[in-house]
Amino acid sequence: RSHNSSMKGFPIPLILAFTSSATRRASAFAPQPLALNNGGRKNTNKLLAAEKKDDVSNNILSSLQLPSPEAVKENILEGNVGERGESYVVAQFSLLFCIAIGQVGDVVTTILGPIFIIAGLILVYKSAADLKDNLSPWPVATDPKAGRGSLINEGIYSYIRHPMYAGLLLGMTGLSILTDSITRLLLTFALYLVLDAKSDFE
């Protein structure tokens, strides 16, 4: 006999009750998804908030960290002297110093004046030393064939075309500032015009 024919004797309500009971037993043993209670959710949120706070604190501290002295020293020493924009740095800190003490006139007279004079003397001396036997007050070469009056492209002349003129003007400007003399300053400007015309004649 077939299986269907053997079930004909059982009442239908009894079959339904048996099927429902078996289904409940199977679902009891099936894996259930984990669910967090309210306490677990709160703890998880607290951990996430603490980690986020630590990240923000670390970012703030790293942004406030100063560069190392070794790195700053290397940056200062790098580059070629005279090609790094030293004049801008000198002007920057000179103005900051004047602003800090609040007295511009005294600073310019007592500091910039002597600095210009010393720098001018150094330029004139170095120019004469690099010219050697070519040194002459005349704008026309005396005897280039004999090695006197020839064009010099070495030493300080490789950086400045007329360093001696620049030294004279710088020194006279410093003297004008040191003595607080408008007359000397005007005469220095006149000297600039003469040296400029002389350099063109050369």
Side-chain angles (χ1 to χ4, degrees):
R1 296 178 182 178
S2 65
H3 178 72
N4 292 334
S5 62
S6 64
M7 296 292 292
K8 288 181 180 179
F10 290 93
I12 292 176
L14 183 61
I15 293 173
L16 294 176
F18 176 77
T19 304
S20 175
S21 176
T23 303
R24 285 197 299 270
R25 289 192 189 95
S27 63
F29 290 100
Q32 300 293 328
L34 296 176
L36 293 175
N37 55 18
N38 291 334
R41 291 194 184 94
K42 290 181 180 179
N43 292 333
T44 303
N45 292 334
K46 286 181 179 179
L47 291 175
L48 294 175
E51 291 178 357
K52 186 175 181 180
K53 185 177 180 181
D54 292 339
D55 293 339
V56 172
S57 300
N58 292 332
N59 292 333
I60 293 175
L61 291 176
S62 62
S63 65
L64 296 176
Q65 187 176 3
L66 294 174
S68 63
E70 292 79 9
V72 175
K73 183 178 179 181
E74 291 180 0
N75 293 334
I76 293 175
L77 297 178
E78 284 183 356
N80 298 324
V81 177
E83 300 178 358
R84 301 175 297 181
E86 288 89 342
S87 58
Y88 296 103
V89 177
V90 172
Q92 170 190 341
F93 285 99
S94 299
L95 288 173
L96 288 173
F97 181 73
C98 294
I99 294 171
I101 66 174
Q103 295 179 356
V104 179
D106 293 340
V107 174
V108 172
T109 302
T110 58
I111 296 180
L112 291 184
I115 289 177
F116 283 5
I117 292 174
I118 294 173
L121 291 174
I122 292 174
L123 275 176
V124 171
Y125 178 83
K126 181 60 177 171
S127 302
D130 289 343
L131 281 174
K132 296 183 173 59
D133 295 338
N134 294 289
L135 180 61
S136 172
W138 313 121
V140 178
T142 54
D143 191 3
K145 294 181 180 180
R148 295 190 299 272
S150 58
L151 184 64
I152 304 298
N153 293 320
E154 299 176 353
I156 196 170
Y157 284 88
S158 62
Y159 301 100
I160 307 174
R161 182 61 266 159
H162 297 285
M164 186 171 291
Y165 294 169
L168 290 174
L169 292 172
L170 192 60
M172 293 304 101
T173 302
L175 182 61
S176 303
I177 294 173
L178 183 62
T179 57
D180 199 14
S181 174
I182 298 296
T183 303
R184 283 194 174 97
L185 192 60
L186 293 174
L187 291 173
T188 301
F189 179 73
L191 177 63
Y192 162 75
L193 296 177
V194 171
L195 294 178
D196 184 59
K198 184 181 177 183
S199 64
D200 291 339
F201 183 77
E202 292 175 353

